[in-house]
Amino acid sequence: RSSRETRTRWPSNMTRTSVNEDNISTDTNPRDEQTIQQEIESLELSDPDLQTESHGTWRNSNAHEQNSFRIEISEKKELSLYGEKNLATTKPPIFHFVPLKMGGNGRTHVSTFESSLLLEEVGGLDSLLSMTDKFYTKVFADANIDKFIRSHDDPHGRRFATWIHQKLGGPGQLWDKDRSGRPNKPVQVAGGHHVTVHDRSSAHVAAWYSPKRPKSEVGRHFKLDECRIWMRLHFWAMREAGQPELSPSFVDYYVRFIGHFVRVYETTAPMFARDSYRWSADPANIQRYIANGNVMSDVLGLTFGGAMEQIPQDESEDFDWPYYEYVE
C-alpha cells in the first residue's frame, strides 16, 4: 500500500493494554465527588496531550503568531497564511502528505506550519464548524453515543471546532479563549454529584458519569465499540461537510490526527480509525444504519477479536500508524 521504510514508532508511553475479550467493563463505579475528581486527575496524568492542554503549555512550531507571513505557491500566486482568502479553488486539489509531529519525547501532538496550511486549505474554522455541527446532529440521534452527553444545550460543535483549530495551528488560540469564558459552575452528573467541566479531562469524566447513562453503566469508561461508532459518525460528518473534495491532504492528516487522539478513550481504538473513515464511503452502510434506528449492530458488543476480523490484516498488525514520517 505504501513505503514504510522510515516511520516513527508508536510513542513509548502508549503501549497496548490487555483487552477484555468479553467486552465487559471491569471499571469500578464510584459515587462520591472526591473520587470523581481523582478520576479527572488520574486521566490527565495518563495522557501527555491532556496535561499540556490543561496547563496551557501547547507547543506549536508553525509560528502562527506571525499572521502577516506569506508563502509562494504554484503559478507565483501569493496567499496570506491567515488572510480572508480561501484556498479552495476550481482546480482539483493536489495531494501532499503531512506527517504528524510529536513533541514531549514523542508523546504529544504538536502543530506545524504544514498542518496550519492544511487547515486553511480545507476552509479554516468555518469548515470545521460545518463538520462538527453535522457530527453532533448525528451523535444526538445515536442513543449509544448520545447517552454520554449530559445536555444538548452546550455549544458542543463550536468547542470541538475551536479545539481542532488550535490543535492544527490556527491563529487566535480560540479554544483557550473559549475555555476562559466558560462559567466556572459545576454541572450535575449521575447520582446528584457535580463536576466542573473546563477541559477535555473533566469533559471525559463527566461523560462517564452522564445522568443519561443506565445506572449499571455510570462511571464506566468508553469501550472499543463506542469509539468505533464515534469515529464513524465523525468521519461521515466530515464527508458531508465536503472536506474530502476540498482537501484530500487535510482528510489524510485528520484521520491520523483522530487516530492519535482517540487513544485516550480506548488504547486499541486507533487501529480502527481508517476502517471507520471507509465506512461512510459506502451509502449502503449509512442506509442500513438509518433503517436500523441509528444503531450500528455490526460493531456493538463485539469482542476485540471479532472487531479485529473486520479490518484488513495489514492495519491490525500495523503499530507504526498513524506516526509515519512519509509514504510513497
Side-chain angles (χ1 to χ4, degrees), residues 304-325:
F304 177 68
M308 290 277 280
E309 292 177 358
Q310 293 182 330
I311 63 175
Q313 185 176 357
D314 65 332
E315 294 182 6
S316 66
E317 296 178 351
D318 185 357
F319 304 117
D320 295 326
W321 192 89
Y323 304 106
Y324 299 156
E325 291 183 357

Side-chain angles (χ1 to χ4, degrees), residues 65-313:
E65 295 299 332
Q66 299 179 14
N67 291 351
S68 61
F69 187 83
R70 305 175 75 85
I71 59 171
E72 291 289 335
I73 63 172
S74 62
E75 300 179 356
K76 303 296 183 181
K77 292 180 181 178
E78 195 175 44
L79 295 175
S80 166
L81 178 57
Y82 297 118
E84 295 299 322
K85 296 179 181 179
N86 190 321
L87 292 188
T89 68
T90 57
K91 293 184 178 181
I94 299 174
F95 176 79
H96 49 285
F97 177 81
V98 177
L100 298 180
K101 180 177 176 61
M102 305 303 293
N105 297 319
R107 298 175 295 177
T108 58
H109 175 270
V110 179
S111 68
T112 63
F113 175 73
E114 290 79 9
S115 69
S116 67
L117 289 182
L118 291 179
L119 176 61
E120 184 167 299
E121 183 174 280
V122 82
L125 182 62
D126 286 345
S127 180
L128 296 180
L129 283 168
S130 175
M131 172 179 66
T132 56
D133 284 344
K134 292 177 187 298
F135 168 60
Y136 276 103
T137 296
K138 299 180 188 306
V139 165
F140 295 159
D142 187 300
N144 286 290
I145 305 301
D146 182 59
K147 63 186 177 183
F148 288 101
I149 299 177
R150 182 189 61 85
S151 171
H152 291 183
D153 295 333
D154 292 332
H156 298 288
R158 188 194 73 210
R159 289 174 179 174
F160 193 8
T162 56
W163 177 80
I164 300 167
H165 187 270
Q166 185 166 328
K167 276 294 185 184
L168 296 187
Q173 303 293 301
L174 300 183
W175 191 68
D176 282 345
K177 289 180 179 178
D178 177 84
R179 284 202 303 152
S180 66
R182 295 183 193 180
N184 190 27
K185 181 180 180 181
V187 298
Q188 184 169 312
V189 293
H193 300 297
H194 294 81
V195 174
T196 300
V197 179
H198 60 91
D199 58 10
R200 279 204 301 141
S201 301
S202 53
H204 287 328
V205 174
W208 301 342
Y209 287 88
S210 168
K212 292 160 65 174
R213 300 186 73 186
K215 186 176 181 180
S216 61
E217 294 184 7
V218 169
R220 175 181 63 71
H221 299 189
F222 305 107
K223 296 190 297 184
L224 176 59
D225 54 358
E226 293 158 341
C227 292
R228 294 180 70 188
I229 296 170
W230 187 96
M231 288 190 289
R232 284 180 174 187
L233 296 177
H234 188 41
F235 294 141
W236 177 18
M238 181 170 67
R239 288 185 191 277
E240 287 194 343
Q243 292 176 349
E245 291 75 30
L246 289 170
S247 176
S249 305
F250 171 85
V251 170
D252 174 76
Y253 183 94
Y254 190 72
V255 172
R256 287 180 282 118
F257 174 88
I258 291 297
H260 168 73
F261 281 100
V262 75
R263 183 172 286 109
V264 73
Y265 293 150
E266 161 56 46
T267 58
T268 63
M271 69 177 69
F272 294 91
R274 287 166 286 186
D275 179 72
S276 298
Y277 173 65
R278 289 191 296 267
W279 177 83
S280 54
D282 186 350
N285 290 332
I286 297 172
Q287 291 169 5
R288 279 192 295 269
Y289 169 68
I290 295 174
N292 199 36
N294 291 13
V295 176
M296 296 189 189
S297 54
D298 61 317
V299 301
L300 279 171
L302 276 184
T303 64
F304 177 68
M308 290 277 280
E309 292 177 358
Q310 293 182 330
I311 63 175
Q313 185 176 357

